[in-house]
Amino acid sequence: SSVTPALEADTMKPTTRSITVNGAQVSMLQAGPTGATPALLLHGGRTGQSPIAYGSHLWGKALQLLGADRPVVALDLPGAGGSDVVSPNQLTIDGLREHLDQVIAALGFEKVHVVGHDIGGLAGLWLTLSSPRKIASLSIVASAMAPPMGDGLDDIVFQSVPAPLWSRESQFWAFDRLSYFHAHIDDGLLDACVAAGNGAPHRAAVAAMRDEAIRMRNFGIPAMKGKMWAILRDKGIGVPTQLVWSDNDPLAARDGGNMLFHILAEKQYATYFHIINRAGSFAFREQPETFAEIVGSFHDGVDAMMPAKSAA
C-alpha cells in the first residue's frame, strides 16, 4: 500500500501557502515530502453559485493520507478560500484551465498527478487534453459534469436550500443532502466553509456571477465540451486516467461515470473505474482511507512506469 496508517498520517499536518500569479494571490494547502511527482488537488463547486463555499479545506484527512509519501498541493481555485478572482472569465472552464497552467508553472512542477472533484474533475480533464506534457495522470472524482450526458442534478438536489446562502445552517443542509455518512460534517468543516463564504474572494465571485453573460454561458461548459469530445474522438487522452465514483452520490450517477469510462478507455488502455460503496458526493471525506488507497496506489503505479520522477 502507498498509504501509511492513519495514526501516523495524523502527525503530518498540511501547511497553508500562497503565491502570486499574474498579480493575484493563489492560496493552497500542502503536505508531504519532496522527491516524487506532486499531486495537485482541485476541489469542486461552481464558485459564486454553489450552496457550499468550496475550497482546499474540503479535502480534509485525505490530503494528509495522500501526502504520506509524495508532495500534495490542494489549491483554492479562483474565488474560493483565499484565492483572488480577477475577472469573471477566470471562473469559466477555459479561464480555469489557463489559470491552472500558470499555477503549475509558478510552482515549478515539471509534471503533476491531477485529482479533480466535481467541476474540478471537468477542469482537470480539459487541462489534461490541452497540456498533456504537464500531466502525469488524471483522477476524476464524482464529477457529474465530466460525462457527456448533461450537467448533473444540482437544481433538483438543491431545491429549497435554506436562506441565507453560505450560512452555517445552509451549508450543513447542503452537505447533509450530498452525504451518505454524516460524521464528516464536523465543526471544523463548517467553520472553514463559513469563513470561506465570508471571505473577500468568495464575495468577489458572487458579484462576478451577476454577470449575465457568464451565467448564460454556464461557465463556458457547453462550448468547451464540444471541443473536448472532438479531441477524445480523434486522439483520446494521452495519460493514465481513473474515475472514482460513489455508489450513493445523488449528483454523479454511476451510469454517467460508466459512459465516461468507455469513452476514455477506447483509446487509453490505462483507464480505470472505481466505485466506493456507502459514500455520497464526498467519498474522500466519508471514506478517506479507502479513497487515498485507490488514488495513492494509482499514482505509485504511474510513477513506476515513468522513466524519471519529477521532483517538487
Side-chain angles (χ1 to χ4, degrees):
S1 164
S2 65
V3 178
T4 57
L7 236 112
E8 183 180 339
D10 284 342
T11 67
M12 303 165 60
K13 298 298 183 184
T15 58
T16 302
R17 178 188 178 190
S18 64
I19 60 174
T20 301
V21 177
N22 287 337
Q25 176 172 285
V26 178
S27 180
M28 63 199 75
L29 290 173
Q30 61 180 24
T34 60
T37 308
L40 186 70
L41 310 187
L42 310 178
H43 62 77
R46 300 189 187 197
T47 306
Q49 287 192 335
S50 295
I52 293 171
Y54 283 80
S56 59
H57 52 274
L58 260 76
W59 292 100
K61 191 176 181 180
L63 173 60
Q64 299 173 53
L65 292 168
L66 289 171
D69 59 1
R70 73 176 59 250
V72 180
V73 174
L75 293 180
D76 286 335
L77 299 178
S83 290
D84 297 331
V85 54
V86 295
S87 75
N89 184 66
Q90 213 178 10
L91 302 178
T92 66
I93 292 294
D94 266 332
L96 187 54
R97 187 266 311 158
E98 182 179 357
H99 172 76
L100 292 171
D101 252 338
Q102 295 167 348
V103 169
I104 292 171
L107 289 171
F109 294 154
E110 180 183 344
K111 280 185 177 290
V112 295
H113 295 289
V114 173
V115 182
H117 172 237
D118 185 60
I119 200 171
L122 177 61
L125 180 55
W126 188 222
L127 173 68
T128 301
L129 293 173
S130 304
S131 305
R133 292 184 180 180
K134 296 183 179 181
I135 312 302
S137 74
L138 172 65
S139 297
I140 303 174
V141 182
S143 177
M145 284 168 279
M149 58 189 297
D151 294 332
L153 302 170
D154 301 58
D155 292 340
I156 297 173
V157 173
F158 291 133
Q159 275 187 342
S160 305
V161 57
L165 277 175
W166 307 299
S167 65
R168 191 180 191 86
E169 294 74 17
S170 178
Q171 296 198 65
F172 176 85
W173 180 92
F175 276 116
D176 184 66
R177 296 277 289 176
L178 296 180
S179 301
Y180 181 81
F181 286 124
H182 301 85
H184 78 96
I185 314 172
D186 55 23
D187 287 340
L189 173 63
L190 294 174
D191 288 346
C193 288
V194 169
N198 290 330
H202 182 257
R203 294 199 302 271
V206 172
M209 282 300 101
R210 298 191 183 108
D211 184 333
E212 186 177 358
I214 297 291
R215 291 200 311 275
M216 293 301 289
R217 293 204 308 268
N218 193 17
F219 289 78
I221 292 173
M224 179 277 301
K225 277 192 171 182
K227 302 174 190 176
M228 184 174 74
W229 298 123
I231 295 172
L232 288 173
R233 180 191 64 235
D234 296 338
K235 298 181 179 179
I237 191 165
V239 304
T241 303
Q242 70 170 352
L243 311 183
V244 184
W245 251 238
S246 300
D247 202 34
N248 305 97
D249 189 339
L251 293 181
R254 180 190 293 205
D255 288 347
N258 193 49
M259 181 184 299
L260 180 60
F261 167 75
H262 284 290
I263 291 170
L264 298 176
E266 185 173 342
K267 295 191 175 181
Q268 172 56 260
Y269 76 94
T271 305
Y272 309 92
F273 187 19
H274 299 276
I275 297 285
I276 297 180
N277 293 323
R278 299 184 299 280
S281 296
F282 305 102
F284 50 89
R285 292 191 60 87
E286 297 174 61
Q287 295 199 37
E289 287 83 5
T290 299
F291 177 83
E293 177 70 25
I294 291 170
V295 175
S297 296
F298 177 61
H299 291 168
D300 287 349
V302 173
D303 282 356
M305 295 187 297
M306 292 172 62
K309 294 184 179 180
S310 304

